[in-house]
Amino acid sequence: MPIPEIAPAQLAALLAGPAESRPALLDVRFVHEHEWVALPDSLLIPLPELEERAAELEPLRGRPVVVYCHHGVRSLDGAAYLMSLGMDAVSLRGGIDLYSRQVDPTLPRY
């Protein structure tokens, strides 16, 4: 079953909307990547730690969650894992790199 994805422009529109309709953001990159650049208010849980830290995801239950990484590969696995827990999750197509190129060029790229 394909993992649903969201385009950077679609995510930007959701983030610009009313607070109650904004999705939660889950960053599955490593700490050093998150320190370099991250989307505001995102929760960092590196992909290899996701299963052991699943309890930290519970506050996101019932909300749409956008999972992101650098180029949109790891986030597919992260979104699949959240979906296996019965959560409403999508992956950010192209990751934070494409988001920075298409939506917010002030975000550092690496």
Side-chain angles (χ1 to χ4, degrees), residues 29 33 68-74 94-98 109-110:
R29 298 174 301 148
E33 293 174 287
Y68 75 94
C69 63
H70 188 200
H71 287 120
V73 178
R74 288 174 279 180
I96 197 167
D97 186 69
L98 187 60
R109 293 182 61 216
Y110 62 99

Side-chain angles (χ1 to χ4, degrees), residues 21-70:
S21 64
R22 291 180 195 145
L25 299 173
L26 175 63
D27 185 349
V28 294
R29 298 174 301 148
F30 291 104
V31 173
H32 68 278
E33 293 174 287
H34 185 83
E35 289 172 346
W36 182 259
V37 60
L39 296 177
D41 301 317
S42 56
L43 171 64
L44 172 66
I45 303 178
L47 186 61
E49 300 173 17
L50 203 52
E51 192 170 336
E52 68 190 52
R53 294 176 59 186
E56 294 174 51
L57 300 170
E58 284 307 309
L60 307 181
R61 190 172 291 283
R63 293 180 64 190
V65 179
V66 175
V67 182
Y68 75 94
C69 63
H70 188 200

